[in-house]
Amino acid sequence: MPRRARGETRQLIIDTGVRLLLERGLRGGCDHVGMAEVLAEVQSSTGQRVTNASVYGRIWATQYEFHRDLLLAAAGFFPSGEERATQAAADQILATADLHSAQGRRTALSLFCRVGGAAHLNTMASSRAWQTWLAIWAITVSTPTLDDDIERGPAIAKRHELAVLEFSRVLAALLPRVGCRMRPPFTLEQLSMAIYALSEGLVLHHRFAPQTVVSVELPTGAGEAPETWTLFSVSLQALLDGFTELD
C-alpha cells in the first residue's frame, strides 16, 4: 500500500479522532481519545498501520498538541444535513398548501412553524455534533484567560455560521412561496440567527428542565381545531411575524 503524504495522514488521524469524540462525547476535554486508540481505529477502518514513531516528531511533537488540534477540528465540525428534517417539513407543506389565497399562505406559514419548528428542535436535540460543539464552547468560555477564545473562537464561530446559513436557505426557499419578504431593516441572516439561538436555548432547557418547556393548544389556521404547538414553534411564529411582512 503506498505511503500517505504527511498532510493526508494528519487529516486521516484528525477525522478519525473527531468521529470518536462525537461518539463518546467530551469528558472535560478530549484526553479519553488517545493517539493509540485513534491509530488502532485508523488501521481497523482503512487497513493501514500508522505507528507512533511516524506521528510524533513528524506531525505532532506531543499528545497535547494532537489534542489541541483535535478540539480545534471538532469545534469547527459541521455535518451537512442538520436542516434536512426542517426542509422536508417545508417541502411537504408547500406541496399540499393552497398558495393561491392569502389565507392559504398564512396557514402554510403557521403549519411550517408548528411542524417544521418541532422537526428543527428534535434535530438539534439529537445532534451529537451540536452537543460536542456546545461542550467545546463551554470549555472555551469557562477558562479564566482569553487564550482559548483566541485559539478556538474562529472555529466555534464558523460552525455556528454554517448552521445558521443552512437554516437560512430553508427560509429563503419558503418565504417567497408563502408571500413573505424581510421587513426592513432586517436581513434573512439576522432572522436565521435569532431562530437558531432560540432553538439552542430551548433544547438545553428541555434537557434539564423539561417541565418548563410547555406545549400549548392553538389552531394552525383560521377556523381549524386547536393542535399541539411547542413553545419553540410559537416563538418561531412570533419571530417570523416580527422580521417579515406580506409581499
Side-chain angles (χ1 to χ4, degrees):
M1 182 178 295
R3 184 178 181 182
R4 293 178 184 268
R6 181 184 305 179
E8 293 177 346
T9 300
R10 180 189 182 282
Q11 192 61 52
L12 176 62
I13 293 171
I14 287 292
D15 290 345
T16 303
V18 168
R19 178 162 56 83
L20 292 178
L21 199 59
L22 292 176
E23 292 173 359
R24 300 177 183 181
L26 269 73
R27 300 175 188 170
C30 59
D31 290 350
H32 60 295
V33 178
M35 179 63 75
E37 292 178 284
V38 174
L39 296 185
E41 181 63 24
V42 167
Q43 183 170 359
S44 174
S45 59
T46 68
Q48 180 177 348
R49 182 171 180 265
V50 182
T51 65
N52 281 333
S54 65
V55 173
Y56 291 123
R58 184 169 178 262
I59 302 177
W60 292 283
T62 64
Q63 182 152 268
Y64 170 81
E65 291 187 358
F66 163 63
H67 281 150
R68 180 197 62 198
D69 288 355
L70 180 58
L71 270 184
L72 190 62
F77 177 75
F78 178 74
S80 179
E82 279 194 348
E83 80 294 343
R84 286 176 186 164
T86 311
Q87 182 66 67
D91 291 342
Q92 185 175 6
I93 290 165
L94 292 174
T96 58
D98 171 21
L99 300 178
H100 300 290
S101 68
Q103 182 58 53
R105 291 192 293 272
R106 283 194 294 269
T107 299
L109 186 60
S110 291
L111 189 57
F112 169 76
C113 291
R114 183 173 68 82
V115 177
H120 176 64
L121 214 63
N122 289 335
T123 297
M124 292 286 292
S126 60
S127 171
R128 292 290 296 166
W130 176 73
Q131 294 164 11
T132 302
W133 173 86
L134 183 67
I136 296 171
W137 174 87
I139 290 173
T140 301
V141 300
S142 66
T143 55
T145 70
L146 293 178
D147 293 345
D148 291 343
D149 297 57
I150 295 171
E151 182 178 73
R152 291 193 290 268
I156 290 173
K158 184 64 175 178
R159 197 275 182 204
H160 195 266
E161 178 186 330
L162 289 172
V164 170
L165 175 63
E166 291 298 330
F167 196 88
S168 72
R169 288 172 175 165
V170 176
L171 294 178
L174 171 77
L175 293 178
R177 297 287 304 278
V178 295
C180 289
R181 64 187 177 192
M182 296 306 303
R183 186 191 302 274
F186 300 121
T187 67
L188 184 62
E189 180 184 9
Q190 291 171 332
L191 170 60
S192 302
M193 187 182 302
I195 291 172
Y196 209 86
L198 175 67
S199 66
E200 289 178 321
L202 286 177
V203 166
L204 286 175
H205 276 284
H206 182 66
R207 178 160 185 161
F208 297 108
Q211 69 277 6
T212 65
V213 185
V214 297
S215 297
V216 294
E217 298 297 314
L218 294 171
T220 301
E224 296 188 6
E227 297 176 281
T228 301
W229 284 63
T230 65
L231 185 60
F232 173 68
S233 291
V234 175
S235 303
L236 176 58
Q237 178 84 70
L239 284 172
L240 288 173
D241 288 345
F243 277 77
T244 67
E245 62 186 8
L246 291 178
D247 190 349

